[in-house]
Structure formats: C-alpha cells, structure tokens
Amino acid sequence: MIVITGCQKIGTLLLNNEIFQATSFQILPISRNASILSDRQLEDEQRYIHLLESHLKGNGFYFSYKYNITLSIQKQVELVANGCNDWRKADTRFFWNRHLCSKLINASQKMKAGLDFDSFVLPVIQGFISINPSVISGRSVTFALISRRSQERAGTRYFSRGLDQEGHASNFVETEQLLLCDSPGSLVQTNSACLSHIQTRGSVPAVWRQVPNTRYTPQLWVQSNLADEKVLDASRTHFEQQVKHYGPQILINLVNRKGYEVPVGEVFARIIEELNDPNLKYVHFDFHYECRKMRWHRVQLLIDELEQDLSQQGFCLCDMPYPSGPVLRQKQTSVIRTNCMDCLDRTNVVQSTIGRWVLNKQLREVKILQSTEVIENDEQFMTIFKNVWADNADALSLSYSGSGALKTDFTRTGKRTYIGAMNDLFNSIIRYVKNNYMDGSRQDGIDLILGKYKVIPALSSRDQFISPFQTQILPLYVKFIPTYLLLSLILFNLVLFSPNAFGINSSLAHITLLSFLFAVILASWSYILQNGTEFVDWPKLIPLSLPRVEDRPLEVTNTQDYVFTKYAPRRSSTVVLNEIEQGYELPILKKTT
C-alpha cells in the first residue's frame, strides 16, 4: 500500500477548492507470509520497492479533496461535478492511481452492507499545476495552468513512441489554461468568472519506434504500410477518441521536413489523407526551418495561419454565482493537438504562444483589456505567464525524457539566447545518458505503479519461480568494453603528452604503445557501435516487442511490415545549438545508400 504522507498547498481554484502537491510517500507492507519467499523472491521484492520509490520521487503528483482534478472545468460543468470529487466521475485517462485503488474501488462497487470505501479513493494526477494570483488593469485575477499526463500509454522517451493498437498515444498530455477573475469594481477576489482553454499534445499518431543503441541518433522504425488495416485502425481509433473528448482536431505537426524526422512526418500526412476525416485539419510547420538562426519570433507565422481556427473554436466561459456553482456561458468547440518528435520542447514553445493569444481574447471578453490593448504590455503579469509555461515544460520533460526542457529561455524571456542554447546542450547530454543507460528502470517503475505489470504472489518458496530481473548475462569481456575504451583514452593521452612518466625513452617504443592503445580504442568503439543495444538499460518487467532493427541493413528498406530508416548525419564544423531537440543537434542529414 502506498500512502501520501506529506503535501504542500499549490493554491485554490473554483469555490475555494484547495489543490495540493504530494511531497512524500510511504510504502506500507501488507505481507501474507514473507517466510515462504525464497531469497530470490525477497531480493525481487526489494527491487519492486526501489522501482516504486524512484517513480514517486521523480514526478509531480497532485490531488484535491473537493475539486475533480482529472476533469477540465468545461467537463465538470457539463457533468455537474463541481465541488464533488467523486472518483466515479474522474477521467480514467488521467486517474494515475486508479490501479493502486483498484481493490478499494472493487469493494465500493460491490456495495457491501456497512462498508463504504469511497472516501478512501482519491484521484491523483501526474503532470504539473501552477496557481498564481495577480492583478491586471486593476482587476484581481488568478492565472492557473494544469497539465494532466495520460496513464494509458505512459512511458519514457525511447521506450514509448507513437500509438498502440488501442489508439493510445505516447506522452499524451491535456493542458488547461485557466483564468479566474472578479466582476468590475469588486474589492474582494471572488473569482466570479472562470475562463478555460484546452490544448493537447501527444506522440505522432502512427505506429513507430526509436530504438536506443548508445548512439546520439537512435534507430528509427516506422510502420508505413497503410494497406495493413491494423496500422491505419490504430490512427483511426486514436482520432475517434480525441474527437469524442474534445471535438474537431487541429493537428499541428512540428517535425522537420528534411533529414532524420522525414519518415515520421510523411507517414503522419499520409494517414490524414487516407482517413479523409472532416474533423481533422492538418498543418505542418517545420519549426527548426522557420525559426532557424534563432529567429524564434517567427512562431507568429503559425499563429497567423491558425487565427481563424482559434477564433472559431473559442474557449470555455463560466459564471460563478456563489454558492450554486458554475454556469456555462460559452464552450470550446475544438482543440489544437500539437506534436514534434518528443512533444516536449518545440511543442511547449508553440503551446505557450497559442496560450498567450487565447489569453488576450479572454481578457477582452471580460473587459479587463480594451480591444486595442494586449497583455504583452503588462510586464509583471507576463513574467508570471512565461515562468509558469517554462516550469510546465520542465516538469513534463523531466517525467518523459529525464531532463529539463530545451528552449525554455525563449519561453521565459521571449527571445533565444546563447546561454539558453548552452543550457540546452547540457540537458541534451543528460537526456542521452538517461535515455540509454537508465530509462529501462524508469519504464519498469511506470509499468509497475500503473498495473501494466502485475506481480504474481508466490504460494510457497517451492513454486516454480522465474524472476523478471533475470536477464541474459553478458560475458565479462563484453561488460568491460566501455571500461577498456575509457582507460585506453586516458592512457593514450597520458602517453602522448607525458611519455617520460612511463619510462619511454625511444621513439619506436612511444609509437608502438600509442598504436596499441589506438587499436584498443578503435576496436572497443567499433564493437559498441555495432552492438550498442547490448549496453542499453532495457525494461525488464515488460520486454519490448520490437523488431530486431539492429539486424537490418543500414539503408532504407521497404517491406509490407515496416520501413527501417537509418540516416548518417553530415555534420558541419559548428554545432547549431538552437536546433537541439532529441538529445543531439539536428543538422541537415544525408541518407546513406
């Protein structure tokens, strides 16, 4: 049993409902009889606990006793759920602890006489929440941002991409921007009006993968045979679900039109063409090309293209008569779904820009701004706005990629800086290390806490038991190859610049030793490049069912089942830091033949 033992108040939303972030947890043992477990089972038990603890520490979890935190305000009003945090009305997509509460939920549904477990079931979301009181044009307002991560296809960056067969998208997040404001002339903050706008993000809605192999550029696998109904059905199911939840979809694709990302962008466009659904509008905006050379203000080109759609979709507007609850005056009728490769950095820049455009419309609607005024002129509020969106970017990126977001200097300051670019490089290095050497354990923690993997209780220590953590043991010489490489690099430099320290007096001995060390470096590096997947930290609880792409030839290969694309980058002498997105820079790429 996992219990929340500490929390901090984030703020209050509608009708003074308090929102909390969980800060500490305790895992309580409810053991049947630990004495029947073998030593191996006891060891696995500790590993399960460690996975849970790591997951709980590294993510943001939020809850409220009265506010239904899994639902947007528009859905709450439509379901008449405001002020009643009944888990039965929770959106299961964002009900992160539903599996953990499953026994309590089952007991509640059975409605045993004299037993009521409903009060013990409290929905928790994973994502980000920020609530900030402020003043705009003399009017008290509360600006809030809520991002809800879906638990349906949750995972880490390279181990969770694209769609599954049920149409669930990796890294799917619903972000709700809220504005609570008072009536004109009010001296007390009553939040008499509530305005809300929803955006979503999610992995490119196709069946595709990136296979980590210790290289900066992971191997790309795209299932592009749309004649296979299973492939197209996954995308069709996904969009049917999205239209059901949000209405028509405006799909913003930010991937590059050239190089490594091309196959993903092309299959996305083909899917939309094949579906021919009037509820889907597809817009491809090559973010890195349009905003190259740090001209990030050119994101406005996309906003100009979307302006008519944004005006037509509107936003949610509720009156808040106390104490009866909200009355819906205006509804948001469609949603913008944005994606890049990771749905993190480029996506957050675009979403924050859209959020600012919508905020101007909302402030004019409630007469806080005049028709000719813009919120960008209010420096005090814009500091809050930019930092909230940048913090949101960092929180979502940390959960998915293991590092803070890239490009947050633009989100925080409104311009791209070289210091921000260097910070992006640092975060990219962190992503590379974690995504290749740590994400298997992070994925296991997610699968365990969400119930994707279920531990089968042992009836006795004599039961046939196969530990999921028992993996093929690599030969010792393979395990130590990275060590050989590191030591050889160090020794090579020492021998090269300080031969006297090793007692080398002749040029022949010097050249011979350097040649030997160089050969070890080349052999070790070559082996790692050719067998990189052997050094990756893979998930152990639910092994990935991916094709062995490392066995495929290193060129574009088309079959009825897959397209495996391997690109070799043509790197220039200077690194284009403002095009870092996936843990490595994205120069112009050249396909090998």
Side-chain angles (χ1 to χ4, degrees):
M1 176 183 289
I2 301 175
V3 295
I4 297 173
T5 56
C7 63
Q8 65 177 8
K9 181 179 174 181
I10 300 298
T12 59
L13 287 178
L14 307 181
L15 304 179
N16 293 319
N17 290 317
E18 296 179 321
I19 311 297
F20 299 92
Q21 180 178 9
T23 56
S24 60
F25 306 84
Q26 187 174 358
I27 301 176
L28 302 177
I30 305 178
S31 177
R32 295 179 178 178
N33 185 0
S35 63
I36 68 171
L37 300 180
S38 65
D39 291 341
R40 180 68 201 189
Q41 289 169 327
L42 290 172
E43 182 181 337
D44 282 5
E45 178 82 2
Q46 293 305 309
R47 295 192 68 169
Y48 290 135
I49 292 173
H50 176 71
L51 290 174
L52 293 174
E53 289 175 340
S54 298
H55 179 73
L56 294 171
K57 290 177 182 177
N59 296 281
F61 296 96
Y62 301 85
F63 66 93
S64 175
Y65 293 108
K66 295 183 179 180
Y67 187 83
N68 196 327
I69 204 170
T70 68
L71 296 177
S72 66
I73 182 59
Q74 181 167 312
K75 285 189 176 181
Q76 289 195 43
V77 176
E78 291 173 342
L79 295 175
V80 196
N82 185 67
C84 179
N85 192 9
D86 188 341
W87 61 265
R88 290 179 174 84
K89 297 177 181 177
D91 191 328
T92 56
R93 296 177 300 162
F94 311 121
F95 194 163
W96 201 263
N97 59 323
R98 196 180 196 286
H99 169 70
L100 298 178
C101 296
S102 58
K103 291 186 178 180
L104 294 171
I105 290 173
N106 292 337
S108 295
Q109 291 173 336
K110 291 178 181 178
M111 299 295 289
K112 293 183 179 180
L115 296 178
D116 181 11
F117 294 99
D118 281 359
S119 58
F120 293 96
V121 181
L122 183 66
V124 173
I125 69 166
Q126 200 269 305
F128 175 79
I129 297 181
S130 180
I131 303 171
N132 304 271
S134 186
V135 175
I136 302 176
S137 299
R139 295 267 296 276
S140 296
V141 301
T142 297
F143 175 74
L145 196 68
I146 303 176
S147 284
R148 307 172 177 97
R149 293 192 72 213
S150 172
Q151 54 85 25
E152 291 175 324
R153 186 165 164 75
T156 57
R157 189 179 177 211
Y158 289 147
F159 295 140
S160 182
R161 291 295 209 193
L163 301 177
D164 60 19
Q165 290 304 314
E166 287 73 40
H168 302 142
S170 297
N171 198 26
F172 183 84
V173 181
E174 174 189 280
T175 298
E176 180 180 20
Q177 181 175 283
L178 284 161
L179 180 70
L180 311 179
C181 59
D182 302 330
S183 300
S186 174
L187 299 178
V188 181
Q189 188 166 353
T190 58
N191 292 336
S192 59
C194 175
L195 302 99
S196 163
H197 184 260
I198 293 286
Q199 297 184 66
T200 64
R201 68 176 76 185
S203 191
V204 173
V207 180
W208 64 285
R209 303 287 187 272
Q210 280 179 291
V211 183
N213 56 358
T214 71
R215 301 189 184 199
Y216 279 114
T217 309
Q219 293 172 322
L220 181 63
W221 181 87
V222 182
Q223 202 164 9
S224 62
N225 178 28
L226 302 187
D228 184 347
E229 280 300 315
K230 290 183 179 179
V231 178
L232 197 58
D233 280 350
S235 300
R236 181 182 291 108
T237 301
H238 173 74
F239 287 121
E240 287 174 352
Q241 294 169 354
Q242 297 307 299
V243 171
K244 177 182 177 181
H245 284 294
Y246 304 105
Q249 305 280 299
I250 303 163
L251 310 172
I252 310 301
N253 184 12
L254 303 176
V255 303
N256 297 345
R257 292 183 183 272
K258 293 183 178 180
Y260 177 83
E261 300 179 0
V262 167
V264 177
E266 286 182 346
V267 76
F268 190 1
R270 287 176 52 208
I271 286 170
I272 299 304
E273 183 179 357
E274 287 289 330
L275 292 177
N276 193 27
D277 188 337
N279 288 316
L280 306 179
K281 177 179 179 178
Y282 178 77
V283 178
H284 194 164
F285 182 80
D286 187 339
F287 186 97
H288 283 149
Y289 176 79
E290 297 294 345
C291 301
R292 65 193 182 279
K293 298 181 181 179
M294 296 193 177
R295 297 179 298 172
W296 290 52
H297 60 280
R298 288 172 59 84
V299 174
Q300 186 61 40
L301 295 174
L302 175 61
I303 305 303
D304 294 341
E305 184 176 353
L306 297 175
E307 186 167 347
Q308 183 177 355
D309 297 299
L310 285 167
S311 297
Q312 290 177 350
Q313 79 173 200
F315 46 82
C316 173
L317 173 58
C318 299
D319 284 332
M320 301 295 297
Y322 183 83
S324 58
V327 177
L328 191 61
R329 284 177 46 196
Q330 182 176 315
K331 294 175 61 175
Q332 181 177 339
T333 58
S334 64
V335 76
I336 292 181
R337 182 196 192 277
T338 308
N339 74 267
C340 47
M341 288 293 279
D342 293 329
C343 304
L344 295 176
D345 313 311
R346 288 173 280 187
T347 295
N348 202 76
V349 170
V350 169
Q351 285 197 338
S352 63
T353 306
I354 292 172
R356 188 172 69 246
W357 188 95
V358 171
L359 183 61
N360 272 303
K361 295 283 286 187
Q362 292 173 331
L363 291 170
R364 292 170 189 144
E365 177 73 21
V366 293
K367 309 302 182 184
I368 293 179
L369 293 182
Q370 300 301 315
S371 59
T372 57
E373 294 179 312
V374 293
I375 190 59
E376 288 84 349
N377 292 334
D378 189 328
E379 293 184 5
Q380 182 178 359
F381 178 81
M382 284 307 298
T383 298
I384 295 174
F385 178 90
K386 292 174 182 178
N387 284 326
V388 167
W389 272 100
D391 291 342
N392 176 69
D394 284 335
L396 297 180
S397 178
L398 188 63
S399 298
Y400 188 55
S401 71
S403 79
L406 312 183
K407 305 173 175 64
T408 52
D409 57 326
F410 179 81
T411 309
R412 293 187 191 278
T413 66
K415 58 183 179 180
R416 191 67 164 137
T417 65
Y418 285 99
I419 294 177
M422 293 305 298
N423 186 61
D424 285 356
L425 179 60
F426 176 74
N427 280 332
S428 296
I429 294 171
I430 293 176
R431 285 186 183 182
Y432 167 77
V433 173
K434 287 191 173 182
N435 297 162
N436 282 278
Y437 306 112
M438 300 180 183
D439 270 3
S441 298
R442 291 207 306 135
Q443 183 69 51
D444 286 338
I446 294 171
D447 291 335
L448 185 61
I449 204 165
L450 294 179
K452 312 294 183 183
Y453 175 84
K454 294 181 174 62
V455 179
I456 301 175
L459 299 178
S460 73
S461 59
R462 297 183 179 86
D463 289 345
Q464 185 177 5
F465 174 73
I466 300 176
S467 170
F469 301 107
Q470 288 178 338
T471 57
Q472 183 178 0
I473 300 176
L474 295 175
L476 282 178
Y477 76 90
V478 175
K479 279 186 176 181
F480 285 106
I481 283 179
T483 305
Y484 301 153
L485 176 62
L486 180 61
L487 290 177
S488 298
L489 284 170
I490 294 173
L491 287 174
F492 183 87
N493 284 281
L494 290 175
V495 172
L496 179 64
F497 296 107
S498 303
N500 294 332
F502 295 87
I504 300 174
N505 298 318
S506 68
S507 298
L508 179 61
H510 192 201
I511 294 173
T512 301
L513 184 55
L514 285 175
S515 299
F516 172 76
L517 292 172
F518 187 69
V520 173
I521 292 170
L522 282 181
S524 301
W525 182 243
S526 177
Y527 186 90
I528 291 174
L529 288 180
Q530 295 299 322
N531 303 276
T533 54
E534 294 185 14
F535 302 96
V536 171
D537 178 31
W538 294 95
K540 298 177 179 62
L541 299 185
I542 303 180
L544 294 181
S545 56
L546 290 176
R548 288 183 56 82
V549 292
E550 66 271 20
D551 294 337
R552 306 295 185 188
L554 298 184
E555 66 263 4
V556 179
T557 307
N558 292 283
T559 73
Q560 290 186 343
D561 296 322
Y562 67 89
V563 171
F564 170 62
T565 312
K566 179 68 178 69
Y567 289 96
R570 183 177 70 243
R571 300 182 181 274
S572 60
S573 58
T574 58
V575 178
V576 186
L577 291 175
N578 66 314
E579 292 189 352
I580 294 174
E581 168 67 19
Q582 296 176 267
Y584 57 95
E585 78 272 15
L586 289 172
I588 298 174
L589 301 176
K590 181 179 180 180
K591 191 187 305 181
T592 57
T593 57

